[in-house]
Amino acid sequence: MAAAEARAHIYWACSALSALTLLFIAAKVTSSFSTLAWVCTALIVLATVTLAALYAACALGRLQLSTSIAGRATVFQLSVAPLLIAVASAAALPNHYTGTLALLLPWGITYWLHNLNETKPTNQ
């Protein structure tokens, strides 16, 4: 049971890291943004909230990254889409804001968790 709890704690940490990234992005927003920059900021917010909600759902046990959604695509594989949307949208922000690259850390951790083989406990 300890491994499942540790995995849930790691998913919560990933969700919190994604939320912190969103706070850093929100702190960077200024009223002098162009219309394109505001649209990209909205895309970044939606993508980051999606990732944070995904990690929270995994932490609660309501979703697994290995669940097949669309044919052979798993939840983990589909999580690449919001990650790419957030990172690509940041290119349109002034000064080529790279704060969304912080989303790579929780995504990398979930990549590790997704590929981590679970071992069955042996009764001795």
Side-chain angles (χ1 to χ4, degrees):
M1 197 66 162
E5 289 177 6
R7 187 177 287 248
H9 289 300
I10 293 172
Y11 281 129
W12 279 121
C14 290
S15 183
L17 285 171
S18 297
L20 281 174
T21 302
L22 186 59
L23 289 176
F24 291 133
I25 292 168
K28 181 81 171 178
V29 172
T30 65
S31 59
S32 63
F33 272 13
S34 67
T35 303
L36 176 62
W38 277 109
V39 169
C40 289
T41 301
L43 286 173
I44 292 169
V45 168
L46 288 174
T48 306
V49 167
T50 300
L51 288 171
L54 170 74
Y55 302 145
C58 289
L60 292 171
R62 294 186 177 155
L63 189 63
Q64 291 184 356
L65 293 177
S66 59
T67 303
S68 201
I69 298 266
R72 295 186 336 190
T74 63
V75 171
F76 175 75
Q77 291 168 337
L78 295 176
S79 74
V80 174
L83 178 71
L84 289 177
I85 288 169
V87 172
S89 296
L93 296 180
N95 300 325
H96 301 288
Y97 184 62
T98 57
T100 54
L101 292 176
L103 290 173
L104 292 175
L105 176 64
W107 186 84
I109 292 170
T110 58
Y111 175 80
W112 172 71
L113 283 175
H114 174 65
N115 291 310
L116 189 64
N117 293 329
E118 292 187 32
T119 57
K120 304 281 185 208
T122 58
N123 295 332
Q124 295 180 358

